[in-house]
Amino acid sequence: MKAQLVVIGGGPAGMAAALKAYENGVKDILILERDNTLGGILNQCIHNGFGLHTFKEELTGPEYALRYVHMLKDTDIKYMLNTMVIDVTGRGDKDNELKDIKDACVVTAMNGEMGLLKIEAEAVVLAMGCREKTRGALNIPGFRPSGVFTAGCAQRYSNIEGLMCGKKVVIVGSGDIGLIMARRMVLEGAKVICVAEIMPYSGGLRRNIMQCLDDYDIPLYFRHTVTKIEGKDRLTGVVICEVGDDFAPIPGTKKHYDCDTLLLSCGLIPENELSVAAGMELDPKTGGPFVNKDFETPKRGIFACGNVLHVHDLVDNVSKESVLAGEGAAKLILEGVKDWGEVQELKLPAKSQNTIPKDFDKTRQVICIRCPRGCLVTADKKEDGTLDITGNSCPMGFEFATNEMTAPKRTVTSFVSIKGKKNPVPVKTKGEIPKSSVFECMKTIKAVELDREVKVGDVIIENVAGTGIDVVATGETDGI
Amino acid sequence: MIKTDVAIIGAGVNGCAIARELSRYKLDITVIDRCSDVCEGTSKANSGIIHSGYDAKSGTLMAKLNVRGNLLMHTLSKELDIPFKKNGSLVLCFSQEDMGKLEELKERGEKNKVPGLKILSRDEVLKKEPNISDNVYAALWAPTGSIACPFIMTVAFAENAIKNGAKFMMSTLVTDVSGKENDGYVIKTSKGEEIEADIVINAAGVYADAIHNMVSKNKIKITPRKGEYILYDKNVGNYVTSTLFQLPTALGKGTLVTPTVHGNLMTGPTAEDIRDKEGTDTTAAGTALLKKKAVLSVKEGYGRNPITEFAGLRATLTEACELNNFEDEYLGCGDFMIGEVKDAPGFIDVAGMGSPGLSCAPATAEYVRELVGKIKELKEKEDFNPVRKGIKAVNGATEEEIEALIKEDPRYANIICRCERVSEAEIVQAIHSILPATTLDAIKRRTRAGMGRCQSGFCNPRVVEILARELGVDESEINKAQDGSYYVLSKDAN
Ligand SMILES: Cc1cc2nc3c(=O)[nH]c(=O)nc-3n(C[C@H](O)[C@H](O)[C@H](O)COP(=O)(O)OP(=O)(O)OC[C@H]3O[C@@H](n4cnc5c(N)ncnc54)[C@H](O)[C@@H]3O)c2cc1C
Ligand SMILES: Cc1cc2nc3c(=O)[nH]c(=O)nc-3n(C[C@H](O)[C@H](O)[C@H](O)COP(=O)(O)OP(=O)(O)OC[C@H]3O[C@@H](n4cnc5c(N)ncnc54)[C@H](O)[C@@H]3O)c2cc1C
């Protein structure tokens, strides 16, 4: 088999790179995806907060992915699902010139229908995403019962399979996935006892601390970690300790919590098995390969973008970067091999170190949750009863703070089950509903069992909980 | 009431190896274990080393069985398709003053008939193992030192035993053993039904004392000695090629650094006597100690990517008693206690099986067969089949082999565990094998799904789904190991 460009991974990175290369004139493009749908990790990120940069509106993960899938289906870009790439070989190195671009790379993949595939490609884009840090890597002592999950694993169980992992949850690490899962578990009926974070700040967004923890009165303990996992079959409890500046537990601070579930949200690692096997060195700073300004790795013809290159906080930034990689690949294919140039100094997102200010005064202050910036906005009552709003960086902050002081509102996301189907379909409230109606809304959503096919945007529940707002589908019954 | 010729209590490597050895003969064999799968006790948490045999005191049963067991493994690993590698081992000596101890070890080994022992100079050691630490002065090289997969070893013995007629009763706790009036024993279990056996073999690991004490007035005691480990990513699997031991130093007994047969790097074990026979938890102190001791053997730089920590319990005999078969051989707390119990004819202990019990297992099985032969006449089966084949795996296969596998079963193309590259076909075969894998841990031991660097973060939901589908049960009924170790709640739970 042959293709001009092979893209490995059909997540947001892979799709954006393929679309850009197509737009720039590469017509023979093949995306290989090991899962049974396109969309990558976004399919399980059913919460909202995506797309503010790319689409100028707030979408859920599946909606964001579907936008790309629909764009893809309007082109001649081919894709193969259930197809696992097991090897990528580049024939040239940045220091030993490649003569003919036609020979640049070979991709080996497999799927059930076609067996083993060898695809010759002029260029390859690596877009395999990332994975989560595990308990072993974190070295948490104790027993090894079931009930200890990475937050992303619990997220998949919940949002893709519609299955709950447990009822009483402790979360260690305050990365965004953990924060988002704290809210998910509460909305789906579990009790989340606390989040323990070893650092004096959170790696998660401030707005997630507010809308996922604070909204549900879940305590976040900084400078705390899990020092023992208990239970010989299923998890029965954990011990949490305060740590000192050396991160060692401080004697006398031990506290035991009964729980049946421990979620780990301690960071992501780029998934570079294929890159290493292709002979690439990884940058210890990013965990991904080195690339030049066109996002080409030192193995000529092989490009990389998205979370396989370095871990991005935001999918919008993944898309932006992947467009550049798609452009680079198109340039190589259409214009031929030029000098590789220099290693690009990647603009890594500043490591977020978020806290909620100590003197945060709930009666007159809010953290805006409209965008990832999370401005601290102060709303002081003026003598005439109107609000004096300061600290916002844009009109959204003004509006948010005003609402929050008078009638706070939230968007609710969840999923509904479909009769006869294993996997549920994700849904959201089409607009914001009063915060006080969130649980009533969830109750209505959980009572639904649909008996029909669903397309994105279909109304699932009209006027949910009397709020005047509809619940709509954010995914489709036939997957993506 | 179930009647059987031989009842074996415990389906660890010893119980399973004995079952397989006895299945050569016209005997009705029943293996009983309280766990849902074989290899849930000490056999699943050890160093996986097939020692060459210089360590055990000369003249002990341990020394004899170790050298014989090592020899047998070379052929058995092929016959039973057990991952096995003769990688050789080095005992590192860190100072001239300790050379005497190294020489002593070599002499003892030679007395035990360990082949090929040689003392290597520092330069020779460095040539073999470039990542060895600068502290090394000299080392004892044992070319027959090997590594094996303890899980597959146990599973392979069990599967082959089943193929040759042995029966396995899983999730069955033995609660009482009592002698019958004339001869033979009645075994009571948690399952209710009683088992009547002519011969009972006690291979209950750290609980062998409890089982022994049910039938004998001469009590024994086993103290669990915990050993903790750290397992590292395959990206440092080549850090060393041979197994590195340390001569005991002022710091105490050393720790080992070894590649595993599957290509990871492992350090461990610690040694701590504990009370809890279920105490396989890891501790912060344990892992810290391992990190400190390992750098005595190897240069730093191996330890950036630990993927898991675990612990196992050595069944250490702290009170022994006499056995019928011990006239000339040494018996006591430093040795294995294998033999017919004096006041319980027909009851055979396989107790105190600390290290190197895994290495000895094939020889232990032969030894126990001889003991059984003294009690009961053994007639060979004409149709005994010594061969067991493992599940064909995608990982490690050539492209042509992979192509053939997918043709045979398209599910070979569906990779479920991305780290260890394990396919759906392999998992389904494990579920429907002669010794069905019905839990995630059982699947992990047979296929390695979930053993890799992401520790099942990716494949956990997928394996649970396949298990539920193949067994025709709800996902909430799928366990990690024993009952109650579920992963998800039933959909109608709330
Ligand atoms: C559990 C989890 C939750 C997250 N939640 C958020 C969030 O809420 N918001 C946010 O902005 N970011 C989130 N992220 C970060 C997220 O990874 C990125 O924002 C974005 O999805 C990355 O896009 P990607 O295309 O690089 O990777 P992915 O979306 O992971 O896509 C990679 C794709 O490559 C495929 N693939 C991998 N290897 C192979 C192979 N060998 N052969 C074939 N196909 C292969 C995978 O199946 C996958 O579909 C999350 C990440 C994780 C792991
Ligand atoms: C830290 C450590 C490192 C080691 N390293 C090595 C090594 O490198 N090389 C080597 O050769 N050896 C090594 N060993 C020793 C080796 O692991 C053991 O000798 C061997 O695994 C013991 O096997 P077993 O079958 O006797 O016991 P186990 O594997 O413990 O099996 C006993 C079984 O009995 C069952 N059982 C117990 N009570 C009952 C009951 N009442 N009813 C029903 N079933 C019951 C249990 O469920 C269990 O499955 C090591 C041991 C440890 C702990």
Side-chain angles (χ1 to χ4, degrees), chain A residues 9 12-13 33-34 40-41 45 47 50 85 127-129 177 307 313 315:
Chain A
E33 168 56 51
R34 69 175 166 209
I41 276 294
C45 301
H47 53 280
F50 301 86
V85 174
M128 288 93 71
I177 312 173
N307 274 355
D313 290 342
V315 78

Side-chain angles (χ1 to χ4, degrees), chain A residues 126-161:
Chain A
L126 305 177
M128 288 93 71
C130 60
R131 63 188 149 80
E132 299 173 273
K133 274 209 188 114
T134 64
R135 171 189 175 179
L138 299 166
N139 200 344
I140 306 177
F143 289 93
R144 285 165 304 287
S146 69
V148 181
F149 301 91
T150 57
C153 180
Q155 189 178 48
R156 182 186 162 96
Y157 265 126
S158 156
N159 300 350
I160 303 277
E161 321 247 347

Side-chain angles (χ1 to χ4, degrees), chain B residues 9-15 32-35 37-51 172-175 203-208 211 214 225-229 256 269-270 312-315 336 350 353-360:
Chain B
I9 303 172
V13 72
N14 280 314
I32 309 162
D33 200 292
R34 64 189 183 125
C35 294
D37 188 29
V38 303
C39 204
E40 285 278 8
T42 300
S43 301
K44 79 168 173 187
N46 52 61
S47 314
I49 289 160
I50 305 302
H51 294 272
T172 309
L173 175 77
V174 171
T175 53
V206 286
Y207 291 99
I211 302 287
M214 289 172 186
R225 183 167 297 162
K226 173 148 75 184
E228 299 185 36
Y229 291 91
L256 66 83
T270 56
L313 304 178
R314 305 169 186 85
F336 295 149
V350 183
M353 305 303 290
S355 197
L358 185 78
S359 320
C360 298

